[in-house]
Amino acid sequence: MLIETFSPQETFELGRKIGSETGAGAVFTLIGDLGTGKTVFTQGLAQGLGIREPVNSPTFTIMQIYDSGRIPFYHFDVYRIGDVSEMEEIGYEDCFYGEGVCLIEWADLIEEILPEHYTEIKISKDLKKGFDYRAIQLEEKGHR
Ligand code: ADP
Ligand code: MG
C-alpha cells in the first residue's frame, strides 16, 4: 500500500493511526534515507500507543524502551550496528517475540534476524512533487 504525505503532520498522523491500531507482537521496520521522516513517523506511532514522554532516535544505545504506553514500545535504531551479535547482546529476541511493539530504523542492516512476519515501511522523497512530499510504502512481510 502506498500512502503519500505532504507535511510532517501527515506523516505523524499516519504513525499515530497505525500505533493506535496495533497490538502486542507487532514488528515494524523503517527504511529511508536521513531526513525522510523516520523519527517523525516513530513519534506518531508512539503517541498512538499512548506514550507521553518524548521519543527521539536512540542512536547511541541501539534500543530504547518506553513503558508509559498501553503496551511496551521497543524503539531500535541499528544504523551504527557492527554486526548482529550486538543485537544478541541487548536481548533483541525478548523484544521481537515479547508483549510489546517493536519498531526498527535501518532494519535492512539486520535483515537476517528479522522475524517471519513484520510490516515493512519505506519512506522516500520525490523532489519533483515538492519539498515536503513523502511516499510511504507499507508492505506486510511473511504470514500471520
Ligand atoms: P529521519 O529520522 O528519517 O532522519 P526525521 O524524522 O528526523 O528524519 O526528519 C524529517 C524532516 O523532514 C523533519 O525536519 C520534518 O519536518 C521534515 N518533513 C518535511 N515534510 C515531511 C513529511 N511529509 N513527512 C515527514 N517529515 C517531513
Ligand atoms: Mg531519525
Side-chain angles (χ1 to χ4, degrees), residues 58-62 77-83 86 105-106 109:
T59 303
F60 295 98
T61 53
I62 299 178
D77 184 329
V78 301
Y79 183 64
R80 296 166 62 90
I81 206 162
D83 66 272
E86 289 176 48
E105 299 193 39
W106 302 97
L109 298 176

Side-chain angles (χ1 to χ4, degrees), residues 5-12 32-41 57 105 125 131-134 136:
T5 70
F6 299 87
S7 68
Q9 292 76 15
E10 276 184 64
T11 298
F12 182 94
D33 291 341
L34 277 176
T36 48
K38 297 183 297 300
T39 296
V40 170
F41 177 89
S57 276
E105 299 193 39
K125 296 186 186 182
F131 192 67
D132 290 347
Y133 171 87
R134 300 293 188 271
I136 303 177

Side-chain angles (χ1 to χ4, degrees), residues 29-77:
T29 66
L30 260 188
I31 296 165
D33 291 341
L34 277 176
T36 48
K38 297 183 297 300
T39 296
V40 170
F41 177 89
T42 303
Q43 288 167 340
L45 188 129
Q47 179 159 313
L49 288 169
I51 291 158
R52 298 280 167 261
E53 68 226 79
V55 171
N56 289 301
S57 276
T59 303
F60 295 98
T61 53
I62 299 178
M63 184 197 43
Q64 184 80 47
I65 304 177
Y66 297 92
D67 267 325
S68 66
R70 235 177 339 109
I71 44 177
F73 177 45
Y74 305 104
H75 181 200
F76 293 81
D77 184 329

